[in-house]
Amino acid sequence: MRKTARYSALAAAGLLALSSLTACANDAASSTADSGSDAGGGKGEHVKIMVGGLDKVIYMPAMLTQRLGYFSEQGLDVELLSEPAGVQAETALVSGQVQGAVGFYDHTLDLQTKGKSVESVVQFSHAPGEVELVSAKRADDITSPKDFKGKKLGITGLGSSTDFLTKYLAVKNGVKVSDFSPVAVGAGPTFISALQKGAIDGGMTTDPTVATVLQKGLGKVLIDMRTPKGSMEAFGGPYPSSSLYMQTDWVNGHKETVQKLANAFVKTLGWMASHSASEIAAKMPADYSQGDKALYATAIGSTLPMFTKDGVMPAGGPETVEKVLKAFNPNIKNAKVDLGKTFTTEFVKKAAG
């Protein structure tokens, strides 16, 4: 397995001019390295991708593609890096630290309002894959988002997609954003610890954290957004979330490389659609199961419905995301977003063909 790493102090770097950022990304992409893939390895064109949590099931296609050897098959030497929240993956991308980010599609809309052109090139999902959990101790007090007022709600990070979605659920149910307290607790052990200690009354997270919380009896599911049906109930339509997104200038200048990435990811999505949760779990790094292979397979099985089979943006998905963001985000509410510039299907359609 290629080593993963954490990037720090990226916020300051994010202040660089976009032209400089693209140049940095170009320089980084031109280097080569052998990170030693479990499924073949070998040197090839080096591409860095930051993932908003490599061990999160919602971002599973990133590591799975590496484990299946599909990057190497395309002649790519992909270095996967990890940050605990999608917003940090976004920062790594726009600061030129990496050429691609695996995170939520909604960041492309938010970045456009800030003058940065970023687009989804492979859409992994048509549902958020998120779950709003409530602490077992507060389950009687919080029975719907209408009860968010005065509560401390866990999110991965401020400005993250869990932050966005939590705010939308609150506003949709008559609770002002200022009426509750979002608490950045990350995911996995840090989220679970915050729930146990009462630092949060509930929160939004993904598998395998969800499976662990339920197994330990620490919380209950309030809203399940891991399926298209759950997305429809919560948002009124498909909500494209996890994706590979990249700076548009870089995509236009490196189409051959982007096509290879799309080929690899689309092949993985097809493989996922034809294999069981247990078979998928067996391909992932052993430590991702945290010593409980059965629970990890269950977590994957619960989240599998969120994934697309072909990497294509679901019809109506961008409009749903825009509606959600406009409900609480003043930057987007008062801006005209060109949705056509936030994603492309050029590469995934060629990959499918």
Side-chain angles (χ1 to χ4, degrees), residues 20-104:
S20 301
L21 306 181
T22 305
C24 289
N26 290 342
D27 290 342
S30 65
S31 65
T32 59
D34 180 8
S35 302
S37 168
D38 280 341
K43 292 185 178 180
E45 184 176 4
H46 189 51
V47 180
K48 291 182 181 180
I49 297 176
M50 182 66 79
V51 184
L54 265 173
D55 58 351
K56 294 177 183 176
V57 178
I58 58 171
Y59 299 143
M60 183 171 60
M63 180 56 74
L64 184 58
T65 301
Q66 190 182 75
R67 301 283 288 188
L68 290 171
Y70 294 162
F71 290 135
S72 297
E73 187 177 274
Q74 291 292 321
L76 297 174
D77 176 31
V78 174
E79 183 179 358
L80 297 175
L81 307 164
S82 187
E83 282 285 8
V87 66
Q88 292 162 321
E90 169 198 299
T91 304
L93 178 70
V94 299
S95 67
Q97 301 281 350
V98 296
Q99 292 76 56
V102 170
F104 268 40

Side-chain angles (χ1 to χ4, degrees), residues 143-183:
T143 59
S144 84
K146 293 179 181 179
D147 300 320
F148 282 177
K149 187 173 182 178
K151 303 301 188 297
K152 296 173 292 184
L153 301 175
I155 55 174
T156 53
L158 296 176
S160 66
S161 295
T162 52
D163 188 15
F164 291 164
L165 296 181
T166 301
K167 287 175 177 175
Y168 174 74
L169 292 175
V171 171
K172 179 186 177 185
N173 287 275
V175 178
K176 297 178 182 179
V177 171
S178 58
D179 286 343
F180 68 93
S181 301
V183 183

Side-chain angles (χ1 to χ4, degrees), residues 230-251:
S231 179
M232 182 66 69
E233 292 174 352
F235 309 111
Y239 196 96
S241 57
S242 56
S243 64
L244 169 68
Y245 62 88
M246 313 178 87
Q247 291 193 54
T248 301
D249 285 347
W250 199 89
V251 171

